[in-house]
Amino acid sequence: MQPTKQIILPITGMTCANCVSTVERNLKKLSGVENASVNLSSERATVEFHPESVGLDDVIARINKAGYGVAEGEADLILARSIDNNDARAIEKKLDEIEGIVDVKINLASNRLLVKYIPTMVNQAEIRRKLSEMGFSVVEEDAGEEDAEFLAHDKEIRRQKRLLLTGVIFTVPLFLLSMANDLGLLPMGVAHASWLNWVMLALATPVQFIVGKDFYTGAFKSLRNRSANMDVLIALGSSVAYFYSVIVTFGVIDSHVYFETSAMIITLIRLGKYLEAKAKGRTSEAVKKLISLQPKTARIIRNGEELEIKTDEVKLGEILVVRPGEKIPVDGVIISGRTTLDESMLTGESLPVEKQQGDPVIGSTLNKTGLIQFEATKVGKDTTLSQIVKLVEEAQGSKAPIQKLADRVSEYFVPAVIILALGTFLYWMFIAGPAMQGMSNSTFTNALINMVAVLVIACPCAMGLATPTAIMVGTGRGAEMGILIRSGEALQIAGSVNTVVLDKTGTITRGQPVVTDIFSLDTKYVENEILRIAASLEKGSEHPLGEALVAEAGNRDLKLTEPVGFSAIPGMGVRGEIDHLAVLVGNSKMIGYDFQHNNHIGIKTTELQKDAKTPIYISIDGLITGIFGVADDIKPDSAEAIIELKKMKLHVVMLTGDNTHTANSIARKVGVEEVISDVMPDGKSEKVIAIQKLNRVVAMVGDGINDAPALAQADVGMAIGTGTDVAIAAAPITLMSGSLKSVPRAINLSRKTLRVIKENLFWAFIYNIILIPVAAAGMLNPMLAAGAMAFSSVFVVSNSLRLRKMRI
């Protein structure tokens, strides 16, 4: 079986958690769909499927069949030259090959191209690029690179506002007329006149069937899918009050009408939906802010001429020019010039970074001082910024384990409320009512009103929004600080971490060791000669300590020799032949020497280790010929970061392959009490397991490459470092800054997000637990119930939005 494929689709028409479970359930019924996860807050579905068994069209068709839709973008493009039928067929064929293109229509008379596409899978830039590759340039576009999802959301807000205003126009006079009649404020000739009910019916009907149309449509779709959602409750509750009043108006029974109740229920809930839609729009502002960072245009050199083009049109390998004060358009490598870059949008660090020829530059960072030319190495969806946006969007669409409880409750919630409402009616109709006033019309009316109150007070929306809104805001806030969180699960686990395991090299230290001492132990070899031999052998090594020897040899302008028979022994060192000499370079295990037999070597080793320097030995033809002292400077803020971790009541452990003396020296300087040293790279994950067996929740912090097994084994892995590759690191949490201070910030962000989720869930559950019984007891007016229901969802979203302003 082929590997699975993952797509993200923007879903329309969802109103509550039951809609989420309906879409998920329908998608999982498709043969070939491995998993489907739907997020109510972001209104997106993440679908994992086997492409040989099911296609995109099948997935979209299933969503439509369930009664929901997939948001589409529309590109209206005009081609620069005239096209014929053959051109049109070629264009249609090529564009249809792009996954995410829904429909292509070509008008030969006007050379106009209308392309419908799914904005989470493809964008207008890719469509234009594909046309350009075919030789068709676009000279005019109707709206540029518009955010189709944003437009759809904005359109929904305007629709909700329009319906709300319609509801207010009819409901306010209806409510005032009804209250004035009940309180005896109307003139004698008008009060209780037979035609008054007909006026109320005329005012209530547009609200019921125009403003409330969505609730009926949503209820029908839900029931058709053999489930029940919030729309079912609203449609039932408002319809009972409305149609009971219609029966009274037609004189079938003699009783009071409740048109104002049905209209107020719908209008108040519509107000809540409008406020909720506006608030939900703000939960994704962090992603929009990231996308807006990319400059719209780029300055390139073509045929010796400097041209300004759209950033979307930059191709791999092209040479770009960036002046001081301008943003870097795409990722690349500097080929000429020096400058400093403000990379705070990427790393969260405000200090500018010096860049020169050969250094990488990242798109959307700000060029501060010098003019540079660089070669484009990543464009379009491959740039670091695009990868970050993709990671954040995937995280925002994922579910945290804590959400499973709310999902399970929501699945059975609406049917349970309907049964409870029916029980409420029967209780007040046949038990409580007769006991108080005997059987009468007022008994029936009272039972009916109490049933309506139970139906409209229940709110599954708040439960459905409690977790995803907090995750959306939390992951977005993290991205702004240079903390990329891949999933809701990682965000939740990081909040419960009690032990932080830190790799030493590149995490606590800079990860760029330098040679500080050279001791020759054989008079035949001077310092430069043993350095030349060691560096010649290390040319084939990628170990940081070996690179330090090669760098020092370069500083001294030593001519290196090509090694023969080179081999590296992980965690020990390297071996080979240099100038027909058998050479070993590495640690004490590599050379297999017992220092007790040579007091001079032991003393030198101890001196180096006390100074937090790593001793590297060189053996030539079986004899130890020299010792190199190599030091890796501690990062300036490592000690401060570890103090912060301790203040957060976290246990800190340093895990390193370095020897005990060097490791302990570094640990003392930064304030780490527990040190695990002399650990081979493949043994780090075993040490993490040993810590986990002590009932500790472990966060492993490393460079994401050498520490990959340990990062995967930890409850949550954090890859720390800078550079373009780190954006797609395998760790669940990627810290774009090289600073260790990102670790306490990431954990603190997770803790605060988790606290907001718990607050949301508490209020969502307690609201229903307290108010549903109150409504069943006949102590809650249906209009108040509708207002409370509407604002419960608004409260949950607003509480999540507090994360944007919290100090982290």
Side-chain angles (χ1 to χ4, degrees):
M1 177 143 319
Q2 294 180 6
T4 58
K5 185 176 186 176
Q6 188 183 87
I7 58 172
I8 297 175
L9 301 174
I11 308 296
T12 60
M14 294 193 300
T15 56
C16 70
N18 294 78
C19 299
V20 168
S21 61
T22 299
V23 176
E24 286 180 348
R25 187 170 61 252
N26 275 274
L27 286 173
K28 288 174 182 176
K29 286 179 182 177
L30 271 177
S31 176
V33 171
E34 194 75 20
N35 189 36
S37 176
V38 180
N39 186 299
L40 178 61
S41 182
S42 64
E43 297 177 319
R44 287 182 171 189
T46 303
V47 188
E48 189 178 339
F49 62 96
H50 295 281
E52 74 277 12
S53 303
V54 66
L56 174 63
D57 291 342
D58 301 315
V59 173
I60 294 174
R62 192 72 189 194
I63 293 170
N64 291 331
K65 186 180 178 182
Y68 302 90
V70 175
E72 294 178 359
E74 196 172 90
D76 191 359
L77 310 172
I78 296 178
L79 301 178
R81 64 180 176 84
S82 298
I83 58 172
D84 56 24
N85 281 324
N86 290 332
D87 291 331
R89 281 195 295 271
I91 290 171
E92 284 183 0
K93 184 180 178 182
K94 284 293 182 183
L95 291 185
D96 283 339
E97 291 174 1
I98 303 176
E99 192 168 37
I101 299 290
V102 178
D103 185 44
V104 179
K105 290 181 180 176
I106 300 176
N107 187 322
L108 294 176
S110 62
N111 291 325
R112 188 178 290 273
L113 202 64
L114 189 65
V115 184
K116 290 184 178 179
Y117 61 95
I118 298 171
T120 52
M121 299 181 66
V122 67
N123 57 39
Q124 291 193 28
E126 291 174 83
I127 297 170
R128 291 196 299 271
R129 196 175 295 123
K130 176 62 76 173
L131 289 169
S132 177
E133 289 172 5
M134 295 175 65
F136 300 100
S137 60
V138 177
V139 295
E140 185 182 333
E141 297 141 35
D142 65 334
E145 186 56 29
E146 291 182 321
D147 185 340
E149 279 189 280
F150 171 78
L151 291 176
H153 187 74
D154 187 58
K155 183 179 178 182
E156 174 62 15
I157 290 176
R158 284 187 275 111
R159 191 183 74 88
Q160 291 284 2
K161 184 178 181 180
R162 189 170 61 250
L163 289 171
L164 173 60
L165 290 174
T166 303
V168 169
I169 289 168
F170 287 98
T171 301
V172 170
L174 172 60
F175 179 77
L176 293 175
L177 185 62
S178 176
M179 290 299 102
N181 189 41
D182 291 343
L183 297 173
L185 300 177
L186 294 177
M188 289 295 294
V190 177
H192 306 292
S194 58
W195 55 264
L196 193 58
N197 287 351
W198 290 98
V199 173
M200 292 185 188
L201 172 62
L203 289 169
T205 301
V207 178
Q208 192 71 30
F209 299 109
I210 296 176
V211 181
K213 179 185 175 183
D214 289 355
F215 303 128
Y216 284 106
T217 305
F220 172 75
K221 291 176 182 177
S222 179
L223 294 172
R224 188 180 66 183
N225 286 290
R226 298 178 182 178
S227 65
N229 63 4
M230 181 201 76
D231 293 330
V232 173
L233 297 179
I234 299 168
L236 270 176
S238 63
S239 295
V240 166
Y242 176 82
F243 286 109
Y244 173 76
S245 301
V246 169
I247 293 170
V248 173
T249 301
F250 277 90
V252 178
I253 59 175
D254 183 21
S255 183
H256 188 279
V257 294
Y258 290 93
F259 285 121
E260 82 285 356
T261 299
S262 65
M264 284 294 287
I265 287 171
I266 289 173
T267 302
L268 283 170
I269 292 171
R270 184 62 70 192
L271 172 62
K273 284 290 175 187
Y274 169 67
L275 294 174
E276 180 189 321
K278 288 196 72 174
K280 278 166 68 177
R282 295 202 298 273
T283 61
S284 58
E285 278 186 3
V287 173
K288 292 189 182 76
K289 194 181 293 182
L290 283 173
I291 294 171
S292 69
L293 290 172
Q294 187 182 49
K296 300 295 182 187
T297 60
R299 197 177 287 107
I300 65 167
I301 297 177
R302 284 182 183 169
N303 302 321
E305 187 181 351
E306 197 173 292
L307 304 172
E308 188 170 295
I309 64 171
K310 290 186 177 181
T311 301
D312 299 332
E313 297 172 1
V314 175
K315 298 175 183 176
L316 282 176
E318 288 198 300
I319 307 302
L320 292 90
V321 180
V322 182
R323 295 186 171 88
E326 296 177 343
K327 286 185 177 181
I328 308 293
V330 295
D331 294 6
V333 176
I334 295 177
I335 58 174
S336 70
R338 300 174 66 94
T339 189
T340 56
L341 293 184
D342 178 357
E343 297 183 339
S344 58
M345 55 70 60
L346 182 76
T347 65
E349 298 296 319
S350 57
L351 290 177
V353 181
E354 291 189 6
K355 298 284 183 177
Q356 59 184 353
Q357 187 174 340
D359 287 340
V361 292
I362 301 170
S364 305
T365 54
L366 180 64
N367 184 25
K368 298 283 285 185
T369 53
L371 183 145
I372 58 170
Q373 291 187 4
F374 72 93
E375 180 184 350
T377 56
K378 290 183 180 179
V379 299
K381 283 189 174 181
D382 296 327
T383 63
T384 300
L385 180 66
S386 295
Q387 291 294 315
I388 291 172
V389 170
K390 182 182 176 185
L391 285 176
V392 174
E393 288 180 337
E394 286 177 356
Q396 291 182 339
S398 67
K399 290 189 178 183
I402 197 172
Q403 190 174 341
K404 291 176 182 176
L405 172 64
D407 287 347
R408 280 199 300 270
V409 171
S410 296
E411 193 171 342
Y412 301 103
F413 182 78
V414 175
V417 169
I418 293 172
I419 292 170
L420 183 59
L422 183 60
T424 299
F425 175 80
L426 294 174
Y427 171 76
W428 283 98
M429 183 68 195
F430 299 107
I431 300 174
M436 290 189 294
Q437 55 193 11
M439 294 293 288
S440 65
N441 282 345
S442 60
T443 300
F444 176 78
T445 303
N446 194 37
L448 203 67
I449 292 303
N450 291 339
M451 180 181 74
V452 171
V454 171
L455 287 170
V456 299
I457 192 63
C459 186
C461 290
M463 289 185 284
L465 290 168
T467 303
T469 51
I471 287 175
M472 281 191 74
V473 180
T475 51
R477 179 77 192 279
E480 291 175 351
M481 299 189 297
I483 300 167
L484 300 183
I485 302 168
R486 283 182 170 266
S487 66
E489 183 177 6
L491 185 66
Q492 179 176 331
I493 294 173
S496 15
V497 161
N498 53 32
T499 301
V500 178
V501 178
L502 303 173
D503 174 50
K504 179 181 76 72
T505 306
T507 303
I508 295 175
T509 61
R510 292 184 185 275
Q512 296 175 328
V514 293
V515 176
T516 56
D517 303 90
I518 302 177
F519 301 110
S520 176
L521 305 177
D522 191 329
T523 54
K524 288 197 313 184
Y525 298 99
V526 296
E527 282 187 13
N528 276 4
E529 181 61 10
I530 62 170
L531 175 61
R532 185 192 71 81
I533 293 171
S536 295
L537 185 60
E538 289 285 5
K539 272 176 65 178
S541 170
E542 294 180 354
H543 196 282
L545 298 180
E547 290 175 352
L549 294 174
V550 175
E552 182 61 25
N555 292 338
R556 301 188 183 198
D557 294 324
L558 302 179
K559 188 173 182 180
L560 304 184
T561 307
E562 286 297 322
V564 176
F566 172 85
S567 63
I569 294 84
M572 295 173 66
V574 294
R575 65 173 62 190
E577 282 189 19
I578 301 294
D579 300 332
H580 305 291
L581 300 171
V583 181
L584 301 176
V585 177
N587 57 23
S588 58
K589 294 177 185 176
M590 183 68 187
I591 60 172
Y593 195 84
D594 186 351
F595 297 139
Q596 292 178 354
H597 296 157
N598 190 318
N599 193 43
H600 180 60
I601 295 177
I603 291 171
K604 288 293 183 187
T605 297
T606 304
E607 287 176 357
L608 290 171
Q609 291 174 340
K610 281 182 178 178
D611 290 336
K613 298 174 182 177
T614 301
I616 302 295
Y617 307 94
I618 178 171
S619 167
I620 301 176
D621 285 339
L623 295 174
I624 299 178
T625 311
I627 307 175
F628 303 98
V630 181
D632 185 5
D633 289 342
I634 296 170
K635 292 178 183 177
D637 52 9
S638 289
E640 189 180 342
I642 290 167
I643 289 171
E644 285 185 37
L645 289 171
K646 289 181 176 179
K647 284 180 180 177
M648 295 167 68
K649 309 296 183 187
L650 294 166
H651 182 65
V652 183
V653 179
M654 187 171 82
L655 181 63
T656 178
D658 240 332
N659 63 76
T660 304
H661 289 292
T662 303
N664 285 336
S665 177
I666 294 286
R668 280 194 300 273
K669 291 179 180 179
V670 295
V672 176
E673 282 86 19
E674 185 175 347
V675 179
I676 303 174
S677 56
D678 290 308
V679 183
M680 302 284 264
D682 57 357
K684 287 186 177 181
S685 59
E686 294 175 9
K687 297 298 181 182
V688 171
I689 292 171
I691 296 171
Q692 288 172 321
K693 285 180 178 177
L694 300 174
N695 294 322
R696 304 254 181 129
V697 181
V698 178
M700 172 70 197
V701 186
D703 62 12
I705 303 168
N706 297 330
D707 302 309
L711 286 166
Q713 176 58 45
D715 295 284
V716 60
M718 297 185 184
I720 189 168
T722 54
T724 56
D725 290 336
V726 78
I728 50 175
I733 297 179
T734 302
L735 309 173
M736 301 300 288
S737 167
S739 169
L740 196 60
K741 291 184 76 173
S742 294
V743 177
R745 293 178 80 188
I747 294 173
N748 197 28
L749 171 66
S750 176
R751 284 181 175 181
K752 291 190 174 181
T753 304
L754 198 56
R755 189 176 71 199
V756 168
I757 290 173
K758 288 177 179 178
E759 288 171 357
N760 287 348
L761 287 172
F762 171 79
W763 286 112
F765 279 112
I766 206 72
Y767 159 85
N768 286 292
I769 289 168
I770 292 174
L771 291 184
I772 290 177
V774 170
M779 300 166 62
L780 195 62
N781 183 286
M783 288 184 284
L784 294 176
M789 180 206 187
F791 285 98
S792 62
S793 297
V794 177
F795 169 81
V796 164
V797 178
S798 301
N799 191 46
S800 297
L801 287 170
R802 289 192 306 120
L803 282 166
R804 296 165 61 206
K805 304 296 181 184
M806 282 185 184
R807 187 174 179 182
I808 295 171

